[in-house]
Amino acid sequence: MFTDAALHTRPKEPATAPPRKRPSKTVPAGPSAPAEERAHLVVDDEVVLDHQALAPPRPAPRRPGLIPTEIADSIGPVLGKAVADIKAHEDGSRRGGDIEDVHKMRVATRRVRAYLKAARPALDRTATDRLRGDVRELAGTLGVIRDHDVMIDRLHQEAAGLGDPDTGALEHLISRLETERVAGRDRLVSELDDPSYQALLAELEEAAAQPPVADPWADLHELAAAEWRTLRKARRKLHKTFGENPPDDDLHELRIYGKRSRYAAELLHEKGDIGSFLEALAGLQEVLGDHQDACVLEDRLRELVIEVGDPKAGVAAGRVIQGCRERRVRARAAYPDAWKKAETAARKAFPD
């Protein structure tokens, strides 16, 4: 499902794009002006006149929030923190002692990708897309382990409350998941030991220290607003197609759009209305995340029952699946209110 291509091949490419060309324009000059001061055209930033160069134009006025240093200062810190989190939880993810290490390392990789995507119109696209692709491979491997961590943790909780013989039968299924998790961690360690991982970290740290800004006039607030509009449009389309009870996979996709919108807004480093918007989106993500976790566990349990061919395990799994169904119902019931809070907060943060 996940390949190592991006981690093993990383061609070195320029971090910035060539300067954007301004459109040609006519520079007026009065007929009585001296010959050396008469200009005719400005073509691709080169002044063409009677073999004389005009004085350079005055710099454009500084616009708060849009000058190059402010774009870099907005992107750099959040990107740097995400990279630091990757490094901070690497050792714990290798050892597997605390499942939160894998979770936090995975979240950090997803933040890196989301920040680079949200700021993509302002950055050098070649360098940005390559970094996002490389990080995606690592995030995918971490995601496999995280999914198993969540399922195993939930099943241990369920097993404790079932009682024999269902507790023992469920432990049989848990052991299968634990074997799969070990294989996933072995792959993660192999990726982390590969020299290309250290090269990736170095490139990410360089991008955080000197973000490859290609469009210094990009408006980060508008980029965040655009991500919100994409989320809102996706939800409208979803409910127009399926009504008030959309399919599980589509709700999960909506959650992904929500994450992108949230991470884009984090680039703004603002409190107030933006802070309220971020809090509301976090609530929406939690509701949809609970729904997705229940869906994933139910699907995997059904597969495991077929794989082991144990009727006792099937009975135990059935009891857990019933709990998954109940959690899904609760999440769907909470979803409209969570969305309403996000939409209300968005109206204040990004008024149309």
Side-chain angles (χ1 to χ4, degrees):
M1 182 176 180
F2 307 106
T3 66
D4 297 319
L7 288 176
H8 289 280
T9 304
R10 186 173 294 104
K12 201 68 178 178
E13 299 172 10
T16 57
R20 301 171 64 191
K21 296 183 178 180
R22 293 194 296 270
S24 300
K25 63 180 179 179
T26 301
V27 180
S32 60
E36 64 271 19
E37 295 179 4
R38 289 200 301 272
H40 302 295
L41 291 174
V42 177
V43 180
D44 294 340
D45 292 340
E46 181 179 1
V47 180
V48 180
L49 63 155
D50 295 342
H51 307 292
Q52 298 288 333
L54 290 177
R58 297 180 62 186
R62 294 164 65 91
R63 294 191 287 169
L66 299 180
I67 60 177
T69 54
E70 289 191 1
I71 291 180
D73 289 346
S74 294
I75 299 171
V78 293
L79 193 59
K81 183 181 183 307
V83 177
D85 285 343
I86 292 175
K87 297 172 67 177
H89 296 286
E90 176 188 330
D91 185 58
S93 296
R94 286 174 176 273
R95 291 182 288 104
D98 185 349
I99 65 174
E100 286 303 302
D101 282 309
V102 167
H103 174 54
K104 291 177 180 179
M105 189 175 181
R106 182 196 184 197
V107 168
T109 61
R110 291 165 69 174
R111 284 182 181 275
V112 168
R113 297 189 68 242
Y115 293 147
L116 291 175
K117 180 184 183 301
R120 188 172 181 263
L123 304 177
D124 175 78
R125 296 198 173 189
T126 299
T128 299
D129 290 349
R130 176 168 50 79
L131 278 175
R132 289 186 68 241
D134 289 350
V135 176
R136 180 174 59 186
E137 303 301 325
L138 176 60
T141 302
L142 289 165
V144 172
I145 301 173
R146 175 59 181 171
D147 286 346
H148 282 83
D149 282 344
V150 171
M151 289 188 288
I152 291 169
D153 184 63
R154 168 61 66 173
L155 288 178
H156 276 304
Q157 295 177 36
E158 297 286 348
L162 291 181
D164 289 329
D166 291 339
T167 295
L170 198 60
E171 291 289 351
H172 184 197
L173 299 182
I174 293 174
S175 66
R176 291 288 294 262
L177 292 175
E178 289 176 338
T179 299
E180 295 173 2
R181 180 171 60 179
V182 169
R185 179 162 283 106
D186 287 345
R187 174 174 178 177
L188 173 64
V189 171
S190 178
E191 289 188 9
L192 297 179
D193 285 341
D194 193 289
S196 59
Y197 169 68
Q198 293 300 324
L200 174 61
L201 287 182
E203 289 188 47
L204 289 173
E205 289 177 330
E206 181 180 357
Q210 295 183 318
V213 177
D215 182 1
W217 300 109
D219 186 338
L220 294 181
H221 193 277
E222 175 54 32
L223 294 181
E227 289 290 349
W228 157 249
R229 288 193 292 269
T230 298
L231 168 61
R232 183 178 60 186
K233 181 179 178 181
R235 184 184 180 275
R236 287 176 178 173
K237 182 178 179 181
L238 176 63
H239 286 274
K240 182 178 180 180
T241 303
F242 299 104
E244 295 305 311
N245 192 34
D248 296 335
D249 289 344
D250 293 272
L251 274 183
H252 177 53
E253 185 176 357
L254 191 68
R255 180 180 179 232
I256 294 174
Y257 281 118
K259 288 180 181 179
R260 292 174 181 172
S261 181
R262 179 184 174 188
Y263 295 153
E266 287 182 356
L267 292 175
L268 302 179
H269 300 285
E270 297 178 18
K271 298 181 180 179
D273 291 338
I274 294 295
S276 298
F277 174 69
L278 291 171
E279 184 177 350
L281 275 187
L284 177 65
Q285 282 184 245
E286 183 175 357
V287 169
L288 295 180
D290 289 342
H291 182 273
Q292 176 65 10
D293 287 347
C295 291
V296 171
L297 180 56
E298 177 179 342
D299 290 346
R300 187 64 186 118
L301 280 174
R302 292 183 183 278
E303 294 172 351
L304 283 173
V305 168
I306 296 174
E307 291 172 10
V308 300
D310 181 357
K312 294 181 180 179
V315 173
R319 295 181 64 182
V320 177
I321 287 173
Q322 180 59 37
C324 292
R325 292 295 183 93
E326 293 171 359
R327 287 164 52 207
R328 288 166 57 187
V329 170
R330 289 195 296 269
R332 282 182 177 268
Y335 159 60
D337 184 59
W339 174 260
K340 186 178 296 184
K341 290 179 180 178
E343 195 169 35
T344 299
R347 290 194 190 101
K348 297 179 180 179
F350 307 112
D352 291 330

